[in-house]
Amino acid sequence: MEPACPRMERQTMNRLVLDFLVAEGFKEAAERFSVEACLAVPASPSLEARLRVRESLQRGDVQSATRTINATQPELLDDRPSLLFRLLEQQLIELIRAGELNRALEFAQAQLAEHGACPELQQELERCLALLAFEDPSKSPFGALMQESQRLRVASEVNAALLEAEGRGTSPALVRLLRLMAWAQEQQEKNSKKAPAPIVDLTTAGTQSRA
């Protein structure tokens, strides 16, 4: 007989949802949901800044996002050169998107050339620069870099870094819980004739062994 799935109380789910909204920087949604769920919004000193950064990146204003990051966590980009590269790369993409190809080339030479020495970043830089070779970069083999999903990817990476800098996890508990549930289901299928799969703790998004 298969073990019964753990049930989640509504208040526990509400806390997970609220934590997700705060962690992802959805301030207004978090405030509205907290009223409906009768819960206090979890403290996050960087919430306002993370919201401004996300909005700036989603409209393609990388410079404004970078200024907000430096004002909130002055040492963050110095400590994380790969994150700085992501922002510079995105600024290059935005120049290409705007059709400012000469400025894009000058920017790449002045700001990104030094990052090309890093093998981990060289390939990404080459993909970005390849956009300059196409009349319509959005229809090139590297067109994914021109899509809205690219802006969202950078915004999520910056958001996670700011969360970690204030001592929170890089991903919300709800996301970790879903990953753990998928993993537990996979383990249960693998071990159906062996030991039972670990129990997923719905309150902490962790696991514990069965007795």
Side-chain angles (χ1 to χ4, degrees), residues 1 3-4 36 49 61 65 80-81 93 105 112 114 146 157 205:
M1 181 177 179
E36 295 175 4
D61 189 353
R80 298 177 180 238
I93 291 170
L105 186 56
L112 285 162
E114 63 184 79
M146 305 290 290
E157 188 169 343

Side-chain angles (χ1 to χ4, degrees), residues 16-134:
L16 289 171
V17 171
L18 185 57
D19 173 77
F20 172 82
L21 294 173
V22 171
E24 291 300 306
F26 300 119
K27 181 175 181 289
E28 291 185 6
E31 290 174 344
R32 289 197 301 269
F33 185 79
S34 69
V35 173
E36 295 175 4
C38 298
L39 292 170
V41 177
S44 177
S46 68
L47 179 56
E48 292 282 356
R50 289 188 290 108
L51 176 62
R52 291 197 301 274
V53 168
R54 180 181 293 277
E55 290 176 343
S56 295
L57 291 173
Q58 286 181 327
R59 66 173 181 265
D61 189 353
V62 180
Q63 289 180 313
S64 177
T66 302
R67 286 194 294 269
T68 302
I69 294 168
N70 287 332
T72 307
Q73 292 288 343
E75 299 180 359
L76 184 64
L77 297 181
D78 290 333
D79 294 340
R80 298 177 180 238
S82 63
L83 186 64
L84 174 60
F85 172 82
R86 295 281 181 274
L87 289 167
L88 293 173
E89 177 188 53
Q90 189 60 34
Q91 191 166 344
L92 173 62
I93 291 170
E94 299 300 344
L95 288 171
I96 296 172
R97 187 196 302 275
E100 301 183 42
L101 303 187
N102 289 333
R103 280 191 62 197
L105 186 56
E106 292 173 1
F107 179 82
Q109 293 172 336
Q111 302 292 334
L112 285 162
E114 63 184 79
H115 294 279
C118 176
E120 296 179 1
L121 303 179
Q122 183 177 5
Q123 187 175 3
E124 289 191 44
L125 179 56
E126 289 174 352
R127 290 175 66 238
C128 246
L129 292 174
L131 292 170
L132 293 167
F134 296 90

